[in-house]
């Protein structure tokens, strides 16, 4: 654990709690439209908490993936982790910290998944290739599976939909592994959608052992070659992602707030469908879920939240 530095007064007075939450809401609405849509299905306090968490995750990701990422060093991430320790101790350093400090207190959120996420950003500083899926899985847990653990207290752990009386008397089950699986599934989806963009930055997130399995080379990927080898490779990757979504689905029934989780899962799965519709062209076409598809998915998500 990092040694907690002594809190120093901010250079200027920080904003009010309501203003901080509004900053977080605006960032979520601007950069994560699908996620924001799902958040609107939550009660007010949970909604605000989700915005505060998203804003921190976004800012963390920007350190290694944003416009100023070239100036990010291991020291930068160490300082960011120290700032995290301070806000968990009740000493927000900047305006957006104010909302997250309030959120982690109100929902008793553990700090470790936040630390793990920063460790994931360190991986992005050190490497741009992954030899095996096990290596990639660790990365996916750190940068996305952690989000499932962070948000579980927000969704709330409640009784499942089971009507069996003796089941309701048992200790409530917390779907930790399922939450991690959902984060991994979403990150794998991001990786498949963004293959072309990542290649332009010299990054390959698809496991190199998988490329070799289908006799597809790094050079092929960098050139954007789409042929039978590539399509078979992408079908393999999509099937793996769907297996993680299937695992995640089994845990949703244990949550209090099931609707937004079902909605987010279904909408992200829709990106995989879009990749297939685009004939696996992730080099020149952007796979996305249309606004109409999003709206049509909500009744299905609501029904699943009631009966599954």
């Amino acid at each position: 654990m990092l040694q907690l530095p002594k809190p120093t007064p901010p250079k200027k007075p920080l904003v009010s709690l309501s203003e901080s939450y509004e900053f977080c809401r605006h960032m979520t609405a601007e950069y994560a439209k699908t996620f924001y849509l799902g958040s609107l299905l939550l009660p007010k306090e949970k909604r605000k908490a989700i915005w505060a968490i998203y804003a921190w995750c976004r800012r963390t990701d920007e350190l290694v993936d944003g416009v100023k990422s070239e100036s990010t060093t291991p020291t930068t991430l160490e300082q960011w982790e120290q700032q995290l320790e301070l806000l968990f101790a009740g000493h927000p350093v900047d305006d957006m910290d104010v909302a997250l400090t309030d959120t982690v207190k109100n929902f008793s959120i553990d700090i470790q998944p936040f630390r793990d996420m920063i460790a994931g950003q360190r991986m992005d500083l050190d490497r741009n290739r992954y030899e095996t899926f096990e290596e990639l899985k660790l990365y996916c847990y750190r940068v996305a599976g952690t989000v499932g653990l962070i948000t579980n207290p927000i969704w709330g752990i409640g009784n499942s939909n089971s009507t069996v009386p003796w089941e309701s008397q048992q200790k409530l089950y917390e779907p930790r592994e399922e939450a991690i699986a959902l984060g991994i599934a979403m990150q794998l989806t991001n990786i498949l959608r963004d293959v072309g963009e990542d290649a332009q930055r010299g990054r390959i997130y698809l496991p190199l052992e998988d490329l070799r399995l289908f006799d597809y080379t790094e050079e092929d990927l960098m050139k954007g070659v789409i042929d039978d080898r590539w399509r078979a490779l992408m079908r393999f990757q999509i099937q793996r992602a769907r297996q993680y979504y299937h695992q995640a689905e089994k845990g949703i029934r244990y949550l209090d707030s099931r609707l937004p989780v079902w909605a987010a899962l279904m909408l992200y799965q829709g990106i995989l469908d879009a990749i297939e519709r685009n004939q696996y062209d992730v080099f020149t076409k952007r796979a996305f879920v249309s606004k109409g598809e999003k709206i049509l998915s909500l009744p299905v998500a609501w029904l699943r939240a009631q009966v599954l």
Side-chain angles (χ1 to χ4, degrees), residues 66-136:
V67 293
K68 298 181 180 179
S69 59
E70 290 185 0
S71 62
T72 296
T73 66
T75 300
T76 307
L77 295 178
E78 182 178 344
Q79 292 171 343
W80 185 243
E81 189 165 355
Q82 290 175 348
Q83 183 170 331
L84 171 72
E85 300 279 350
L86 284 170
L87 76 84
F88 263 83
H91 305 292
V93 174
D94 62 29
D95 289 340
M96 286 192 177
D97 282 355
V98 174
L100 187 57
T101 298
D102 184 63
T103 290
V104 300
K105 177 182 67 177
N106 291 341
F107 289 92
S108 300
I109 299 174
D110 183 20
I111 192 175
Q112 190 57 46
F114 291 85
R115 294 179 180 136
D116 289 345
M117 184 177 291
I118 295 173
Q121 307 307 318
R122 291 192 178 99
M123 292 176 74
D124 262 336
L125 286 184
D126 296 336
R127 61 195 305 180
N128 55 22
R129 301 287 191 280
Y130 291 88
E131 179 64 30
T132 69
F133 176 68
E134 285 305 308
E135 293 177 0
L136 180 65

Side-chain angles (χ1 to χ4, degrees), residues 52-63:
I53 289 169
Y54 172 81
W56 186 87
C57 293
R58 171 80 188 187
R59 295 165 73 201
T60 302
D61 183 68
E62 285 288 301
L63 291 175

Side-chain angles (χ1 to χ4, degrees), residues 30 41 78 139 158 221 238-239 245:
E30 181 175 358
L41 304 173
E78 182 178 344
Y139 171 76
L221 190 149
I238 288 173
Q239 179 60 27
Y245 282 119

Side-chain angles (χ1 to χ4, degrees), residues 110 112-113 116 133 136-153 155 173-189 240-241 243-252 255 261 265:
D110 183 20
Q112 190 57 46
D116 289 345
F133 176 68
L136 180 65
K137 182 180 175 182
L138 174 61
Y139 171 76
C140 290
Y141 159 71
R142 286 177 171 173
V143 300
T146 50
V147 179
L149 297 181
I150 291 169
T151 55
N152 256 0
W155 310 129
Y173 173 73
E174 181 180 358
R176 291 177 57 85
E177 293 303 316
E178 294 88 344
I180 292 172
L182 180 56
I184 291 175
M186 289 180 165
Q187 185 62 26
L188 291 175
T189 301
R240 174 186 280 156
Q243 288 173 350
Y244 278 98
Y245 282 119
H246 180 66
Q247 180 184 352
E249 288 177 3
K250 299 175 182 178
I252 301 177
L255 302 177
V261 182
L265 183 150

Side-chain angles (χ1 to χ4, degrees), residues 1-55:
M1 178 176 177
L2 294 175
Q3 182 178 358
L4 188 64
K6 294 181 180 180
T8 55
K11 296 180 181 179
K12 63 182 179 65
L14 298 180
V15 298
S16 68
L17 185 59
S18 61
E19 289 174 314
S20 181
Y21 274 117
E22 175 58 21
F23 287 158
C24 296
R25 184 203 69 78
H26 185 270
M27 177 176 282
T28 309
E30 181 175 358
Y31 294 107
K33 293 179 173 57
T34 298
F35 188 74
Y36 181 71
L37 178 64
S39 74
L40 298 179
L41 304 173
L42 288 165
K44 181 180 178 181
E45 292 307 311
K46 291 187 176 185
R47 187 187 316 157
K48 289 162 53 182
I50 287 295
W51 296 337
I53 289 169
Y54 172 81

Side-chain angles (χ1 to χ4, degrees), residues 166-178:
W166 57 83
E167 237 186 55
S168 63
Q169 300 303 315
Q170 296 177 354
K171 182 180 179 181
L172 297 180
Y173 173 73
E174 181 180 358
R176 291 177 57 85
E177 293 303 316
E178 294 88 344

